[in-house]
Amino acid sequence: MTTAQRHTAALAALADIVGPAHVLTDPDLVAGYETDWTGRWHGHAAAVVRPGSTSEVAAVLAACTRHRLPVVPQGGNTGLVGGSVPMDGELVLSLRRLSEVTEVDPVARTLAAGAGVTVAQAQRAARDHGLDFGIDLASRDTATLGGIVSTNAGGVRMIRYGNTRAQVLGVEAVLADGRVLTRWKQLTKDNVGYDLPGLLTGAEGTLAVLTKVLMKLVIPGDATQVALVGIDRVDDALTLLGAASRTGLVLEAAELMTAAGVDLVARHTATGRPFTHAAPFYLLVEVSGPGDIESRLLGVLDDAGSLVLDATIASGPADKLWRYREAHTEAVAASSRTPVVKLDLSTPHRSIGRFIDDLTAGLSDRFPQLRVICFGHVADGNVHVNLLDVPAASQERVTEFVFDLVTRYDGSISAEHGIGRAKARWIELSRSPVDIDVMRDIRTALDPAGLLNPHVLF
Ligand SMILES: Cc1cc2nc3c(=O)[nH]c(=O)nc-3n(C[C@H](O)[C@H](O)[C@H](O)COP(=O)(O)OP(=O)(O)OC[C@H]3O[C@@H](n4cnc5c(N)ncnc54)[C@H](O)[C@@H]3O)c2cc1C
């Protein structure tokens, strides 16, 4: 059978499983699934299939294995490393129809939901029960639970509740051959064998397709206060955060921004600049805690003296202050003449300030035509490096320069977005050969034919 005949047979089998209306081949309908959020990563899909239940996902994967048709699982398609889009004729398996929150258990503090439920939907369901969802990120209206589990997303509350892996209690997932793996217990303690939910978390769709997730919920913090603080140096942010923690304030979020980034957002959103005089860096910090947190936060800022160039504070959720941080991704995308090169890195805490200084100086030295906007979850040592106006011909060289630098700082080439397609050829910078061998062995054991996300990770 030729490849074309195999594909035709596979698509006919898929239409039998999910119904012809859920196998998309019309180029206009497929286009949105073939390009990622950044516009930098795209490819061509054999078709998009949209199953509506676990049994349909299982039958789809079994059919793909029979017909040797590679598969790219896709949730909200907000991932920033090209992992959710096909490269060359794979089937896009969209999980968005698995969009039901099946249960919120206010006693066990858990949420059971389909992989296609969005983060915002999970947050609303949790809040309806007086609880909250521990993960929050600016893509919340589109990113799905399957996506955040598969990428082990961090987000702005990681400092408070940990990453997605810390919230996952159980999963239901379909293996490449169509078998359904269910590890689903509302137990805090359960040490029987390998931690398979933990393994599938962060696997970027290379080991199995998640269909349902059982997530922990958190008790929402007390009322919060948010401060936007102008500072001279990145290290000043860490000094302020240390001082706030020592007074007993609970850090709910801590985000770093630069003058260039805040300026871009101010222009893009047509809100004014936060302060009359621009500061080199800005720290956005949200705190909670017992007692009068407003005066305690003001006390921390007062005690910091000249370290604080300017500051404004507001009661949470303080959407206007948060907008400066949350609008960064869209402002950066709108301003760049080329698809933004997004590199999400982490360094040890003590060196994040020096790293950002070296990075900015090194880039402007070697690549004067590009613009760099850094922002990120500073308390996690995480910096999102956004490179604007990078001609396609220099993307690799620029990436290499940044990755070499972060490796010299003993950092990671992926703090929270994963490896996807974007960073696959540099994975050995952050993992040893034996480490990579073990990961390959695990992948081969679960997906011997290599059908799941073949271009991702390695
Ligand atoms: C404005 C903006 C802000 C962001 N902020 C953050 C942030 O603060 N922190 C952060 O970590 N990320 C952030 N991201 C990146 C992105 O939102 C996350 O990576 C998110 O987890 C992706 O979810 P998704 O549903 O869109 O997944 P997709 O983009 O569809 O997929 C991501 C990866 O997971 C796989 N996958 C998706 N669903 C499944 C499934 N059901 N089973 C198996 N594999 C699956 C895909 O194959 C792909 O490899 C941001 C993105 C944007 C656009």
Side-chain angles (χ1 to χ4, degrees):
M1 216 191 249
T2 65
T3 308
Q5 285 169 330
R6 232 180 35 239
H7 276 192
T8 310
L11 296 192
L14 298 177
D16 282 347
I17 297 163
V18 297
H22 293 299
V23 180
L24 313 180
T25 50
D26 176 339
D28 286 343
L29 297 179
V30 171
Y33 297 85
E34 291 178 321
T35 299
D36 80 331
W37 194 91
T38 65
R40 188 174 168 213
W41 302 103
H42 36 80
H44 154 68
V48 176
V49 63
R50 294 165 33 88
S53 66
T54 302
S55 55
E56 287 186 4
V57 174
V60 164
L61 286 176
C64 288
T65 293
R66 268 197 315 281
H67 294 278
R68 283 176 284 140
L69 180 59
V71 174
V72 174
Q74 189 181 97
N77 201 13
T78 67
L80 299 172
V81 287
S84 53
V85 286
M87 214 161 141
D88 189 18
E90 301 95 317
L91 179 78
V92 170
L93 174 57
S94 169
L95 283 312
R96 279 188 239 173
R97 285 181 66 217
L98 306 183
S99 58
E100 196 190 344
V101 175
T102 41
E103 191 188 16
V104 174
D105 183 334
V107 178
R109 296 206 292 271
T110 55
L111 174 137
V117 164
T118 65
V119 170
Q121 218 184 321
Q123 289 171 337
R124 282 194 296 275
R127 287 168 194 165
D128 285 348
H129 290 78
L131 296 166
D132 210 343
F133 189 64
I135 299 295
D136 192 23
L137 63 187
S139 52
R140 63 182 74 79
D141 290 320
T142 315
T144 62
L145 300 189
I148 66 161
V149 172
S150 296
T151 56
N152 186 27
V156 295
R157 304 285 163 189
M158 165 142 179
I159 182 180
R160 175 78 162 104
Y161 301 113
N163 56 18
T164 301
R165 187 173 283 116
Q167 327 293 325
V168 175
L169 261 187
V171 295
E172 178 192 79
V174 182
L175 303 177
D177 60 11
R179 282 178 299 157
V180 178
L181 165 74
T182 307
R183 183 76 78 85
W184 195 271
K185 299 246 189 233
Q186 277 186 339
L187 302 174
T188 312
K189 292 186 164 182
D190 181 17
N191 273 350
V192 182
Y194 301 137
D195 177 8
L196 297 183
L199 178 66
L200 297 189
T201 306
E204 300 188 51
T206 60
L207 300 181
V209 175
L210 296 166
T211 44
K212 288 183 189 156
V213 290
L214 180 64
M215 308 292 290
K216 291 180 194 166
L217 296 177
V218 299
I219 297 176
D222 306 314
T224 62
Q225 287 288 322
V226 180
L228 180 66
V229 188
I231 48 177
D232 247 331
R233 303 171 325 130
V234 175
D235 286 350
D236 296 343
L238 299 177
T239 306
L240 280 171
L241 294 174
S245 298
R246 276 192 299 280
T247 66
L249 286 169
V250 177
L251 299 179
E252 295 280 338
E255 298 290 314
L256 181 81
M257 297 170 282
T258 62
V262 167
D263 235 43
L264 206 62
V265 169
R267 271 184 276 129
H268 177 72
T269 58
T271 45
R273 289 194 182 129
F275 307 128
T276 321
H277 299 291
F281 294 98
Y282 295 83
L283 171 69
L284 183 79
V285 57
E286 179 156 1
V287 295
S288 66
D292 181 356
I293 50 171
E294 182 179 356
S295 42
R296 279 159 69 206
L297 181 57
L298 285 170
V300 170
L301 298 176
D302 262 359
D303 291 348
S306 60
L307 187 143
V308 172
L309 302 180
D310 210 336
T312 176
I313 86 166
S315 300
D319 293 334
K320 220 168 132 199
L321 294 185
W322 264 105
R323 185 89 181 115
Y324 285 109
R325 166 62 180 86
E326 297 235 300
H328 259 69
T329 307
E330 63 186 62
V332 160
S335 150
S336 181
R337 289 192 293 272
T338 55
V340 181
V341 176
K342 299 178 90 64
L343 304 174
D344 151 53
L345 316 167
S346 60
T347 69
H349 279 86
R350 65 179 181 283
S351 41
I352 187 167
R354 269 186 302 122
F355 171 71
I356 292 176
D357 290 346
D358 272 3
L359 176 81
T360 317
L363 283 170
S364 84
D365 225 32
R366 284 178 179 72
F367 306 97
Q369 79 283 8
L370 63 74
R371 287 179 290 152
V372 56
I373 304 280
C374 292
F375 59 92
H377 316 302
V378 64
D380 306 326
N382 184 183
V383 50
H384 297 317
V385 177
N386 291 261
L387 303 168
L388 291 70
D389 304 338
V390 189
S394 8
Q395 285 180 4
E396 284 225 357
R397 269 187 314 126
V398 176
T399 305
E400 217 131 72
F401 169 77
V402 177
F403 284 173
D404 277 348
L405 188 67
V406 79
T407 306
R408 273 189 272 133
Y409 271 86
D410 201 21
S412 169
I413 63 165
S414 177
E416 58 177 13
H417 295 162
I419 292 294
R421 271 157 66 175
K423 300 178 179 177
R425 56 168 290 231
W426 288 284
I427 192 169
E428 77 282 358
L429 289 178
S430 285
R431 294 288 179 259
S432 71
V434 175
D435 198 322
I436 293 172
D437 278 353
V438 172
M439 289 197 276
R440 279 189 195 280
D441 288 349
I442 291 171
R443 185 172 185 169
T444 308
L446 292 186
D447 178 18
L451 291 183
L452 293 178
N453 254 351
H455 302 290
V456 164
L457 212 51
F458 309 118

